[in-house]
Amino acid sequence: LIHAAAALAPSFLRIGGWESDRVVYLLEDDATPWQRSYCAENPDFCLTMERWQEVLTFAERIGARVVFCLAYLLYIEKETRDWDGSNARAFLEYTATNSPPGLLYGIELGNEPLHRDRSSNVTRHVLAYTQVREYID
């Protein structure tokens, strides 16, 4: 797989899609009880930093830059509050510290087709993008 994927370099590895809105980033030292419980109940939607490091290493080995979709809908509680970006911020900080500069090429926030029925407040979404921009800067 490494040789086949490397033959496509330079390339982009996009990680996202409609299920990306259900993912929790499990940073062991900073994990909340809710995150641990969610990951125990939904292991397929729990991205550990060990697994994330494997993805980053793979991307680096094949000469790809990563475009990653951060979870949005999981953290807004169906219009009852603004987006809680604390888990995304910790994830981005981990990534900045543990990957080569430039490997993470782009960030998306949520999978837009799903937002149609669950997030009608455009202002909240814009504020969430503003938070992500601040995290990156």
Side-chain angles (χ1 to χ4, degrees):
L1 178 63
I2 297 284
H3 295 293
L8 300 172
S11 59
F12 294 97
L13 175 61
R14 179 183 180 265
I15 301 170
W18 72 273
E19 290 187 330
S20 63
D21 266 321
R22 298 176 59 192
V23 176
V24 165
Y25 319 112
L26 190 63
L27 290 93
E28 285 297 331
D29 295 339
D30 297 324
T32 66
W34 177 85
Q35 290 166 343
R36 290 183 193 284
S37 173
Y38 182 89
C39 286
E41 294 172 18
N42 304 282
D44 292 341
F45 296 101
C46 183
L47 181 58
T48 65
M49 293 307 96
E50 179 182 356
R51 181 66 173 150
W52 179 234
Q53 200 59 54
E54 291 171 355
V55 171
L56 294 173
T57 299
F58 174 76
E60 185 177 21
R61 286 184 66 194
I62 67 168
R65 296 172 82 184
V66 177
V67 177
F68 189 85
C69 185
L70 294 170
Y72 176 73
L73 292 179
L74 183 64
Y75 297 97
I76 63 167
E77 294 184 12
K78 185 96 171 148
E79 301 289 336
T80 60
R81 68 171 182 179
D82 293 339
W83 179 65
D84 178 357
S86 57
N87 190 228
R89 181 181 197 143
F91 172 77
L92 291 172
E93 288 172 353
Y94 173 90
T95 302
T97 303
N98 294 283
S99 66
L103 185 64
L104 184 61
Y105 180 78
I107 296 291
E108 301 169 351
L109 182 58
N111 189 38
E112 293 81 5
L114 288 181
H115 297 181
R116 179 182 57 233
D117 296 327
R118 298 216 25 227
S119 177
S120 60
N121 189 323
V122 174
T123 302
R124 281 190 173 146
H125 207 167
V126 170
L127 291 173
Y129 269 102
T130 302
Q131 280 182 285
V132 171
R133 181 76 245 174
E134 289 171 2
Y135 299 162
I136 293 170
D137 291 341

